[in-house]
């Protein structure tokens, strides 16, 4: 993509065409579109895949290594394949969505993620913790804190799942996150966006940005390090990521 929006000349001519290919960036003078082909989308994660990843991660019951509290990612509500109002008759209550106050709806509602169970990540090392009040002697404020596991000074930010499937490059398990926003995705997805420069709306400069929040990101993603009560340490996380990635890949080529 050209680094300036100007009239093409021999000096700034870019070798490009108007043929749409998968992952084509379209610059509309202030708005950048990310075009995906049907074939490309067939190889990426769907919303159901992302929901399954979050549920599987919560079932692993990863913990804060300081407070020993089980951490949870907010569950993704299943908004796909909802019954259409026109597909059910007015008198048919079997297919009608449950009222938010009904007992059925309360049973299906995912567990509430409290403030002390939300995961945070130290961006320099990747260790995942819950929010805690532990500080090193030279820590000042909450912007830069020392990781209790490896003693590296690092920004401490909330960890959250990227929820736009079209921005994913494959269907692998989320093992990395962007720095400094904390949005997590698969390693291939994170490395793709870390190496892709998007034009800035103000000065037209090209910078790598998080596709989920448009924050300027570092060129290298952060590998996440979760802690669990399992005896085999970090191996559970590797086995979980590999197993679920293989299952998702079986539904479509990666």
């Amino acid at each position: 993509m050209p680094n300036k929006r100007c009239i093409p000349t021999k000096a700034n001519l870019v070798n490009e065409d108007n043929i749409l290919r998968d992952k084509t960036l379209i610059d509309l003078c202030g708005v950048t579109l990310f075009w995906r082909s049907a074939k490309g989308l067939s190889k990426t994660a769907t919303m159901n895949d992302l929901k399954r990843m979050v549920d599987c991660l919560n079932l692993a019951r990863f913990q804060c290594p300081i407070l020993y509290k089980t951490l949870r990612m907010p569950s993704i509500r299943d908004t796909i394949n909802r019954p259409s109002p026109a597909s059910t008759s007015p008198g048919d209550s079997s297919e009608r969505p449950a009222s938010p106050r009904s007992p059925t709806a309360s049973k299906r509602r995912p567990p509430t993620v409290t403030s002390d169970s939300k995961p945070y990540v130290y961006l320099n090392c990747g260790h995942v913790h819950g929010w805690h009040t532990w500080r090193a002697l030279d820590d000042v404020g909450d912007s830069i804190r020392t990781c209790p596991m490896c003693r590296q000074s690092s920004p401490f930010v909330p960890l959250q799942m990227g929820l736009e499937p079209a921005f994913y490059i494959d269907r692998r398990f989320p093992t990395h996150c962007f720095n400094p926003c904390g949005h997590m995705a698969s390693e291939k997805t994170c490395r793709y966006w870390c190496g892709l420069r998007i034009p800035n709306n103000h000065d037209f400069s090209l910078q790598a940005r998080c596709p989920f929040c448009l924050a300027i990101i570092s060129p290298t993603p952060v590998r996440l390090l979760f802690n669990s009560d399992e005896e085999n340490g970090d191996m559970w996380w590797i086995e979980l990521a590999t197993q679920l990635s293989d299952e998702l890949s079986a539904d479509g080529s990666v």
Side-chain angles (χ1 to χ4, degrees), residues 1-244:
M1 179 172 286
N3 58 359
K4 292 184 179 295
R5 300 185 180 99
C6 56
I7 299 175
T9 63
K10 291 183 178 180
N12 60 20
L13 188 63
V14 178
N15 185 17
E16 59 185 10
D17 54 46
N18 59 353
I19 300 176
L20 287 177
R21 300 177 179 86
D22 188 43
K23 299 189 289 290
T24 295
L25 288 178
I26 305 173
D27 183 17
L28 298 180
C29 295
V31 177
T32 303
L33 304 182
F34 185 61
W35 190 84
R36 300 304 307 270
S37 65
K39 183 178 180 180
L41 288 176
S42 66
K43 301 178 181 180
T44 63
T46 64
M47 185 59 73
N48 284 334
D49 292 335
L50 301 183
K51 181 178 182 296
R52 186 179 178 186
M53 292 176 188
V54 172
D55 292 342
C56 188
L57 188 57
N58 287 335
L59 288 175
R61 298 179 61 84
F62 61 99
Q63 296 181 338
C64 172
I66 300 301
L67 301 179
Y68 294 103
K69 290 185 177 181
T70 299
L71 305 179
R72 289 188 58 86
M73 299 291 298
S75 298
I76 303 176
R77 293 183 179 273
D78 189 7
T79 58
I80 302 178
N81 297 328
R82 284 185 176 177
S84 173
S87 63
T88 58
S89 60
D92 186 6
S93 60
S94 60
E95 299 294 335
R96 190 177 302 170
S99 170
R101 297 184 179 180
S102 67
T104 305
S106 61
K107 292 180 181 179
R108 295 178 181 176
R109 188 173 300 160
T112 303
V113 178
T114 58
S115 58
D116 58 349
S117 64
K118 293 181 180 179
Y120 285 72
V121 59
Y122 286 94
L123 293 177
N124 284 354
C125 58
H127 284 114
V128 178
H129 293 249
W131 179 261
H132 57 84
T133 58
W134 186 91
R135 298 287 194 281
L137 294 178
D138 54 349
D139 284 352
V140 178
D142 292 329
S143 58
I144 302 295
R145 296 174 56 172
T146 301
C147 174
M149 301 293 290
C150 62
R151 298 304 179 94
Q152 293 188 55
S153 296
S154 169
F156 190 52
V157 301
L159 186 64
Q160 49 192 332
M161 189 76 173
L163 297 183
E164 177 49 61
F167 292 149
Y168 281 75
I169 306 303
D170 58 2
R171 309 179 77 167
R172 309 297 291 183
F173 201 79
T175 56
H176 290 66
C177 76
F178 295 109
N179 183 357
C181 62
H183 279 105
M184 59 188 297
S186 66
E187 179 180 5
K188 188 175 181 179
T189 298
C190 288
R191 293 193 182 279
Y192 174 82
W193 288 101
C194 286
L196 182 66
R197 298 189 302 167
I198 301 175
N200 191 325
N201 294 337
H202 304 289
D203 56 7
F204 306 142
S205 61
L206 299 178
Q207 295 172 316
R209 292 179 177 271
C210 171
F212 306 109
C213 65
L214 294 182
I216 299 176
I217 55 178
S218 301
T220 303
V222 179
R223 180 179 180 271
L224 300 174
L225 300 175
F226 290 91
N227 183 70
S228 176
D229 56 359
E230 299 291 339
E231 295 181 356
N232 56 354
D234 192 47
M235 289 302 298
W236 73 273
W237 166 242
I238 300 176
E239 294 174 358
L240 173 65
T242 303
Q243 179 181 357
L244 185 57

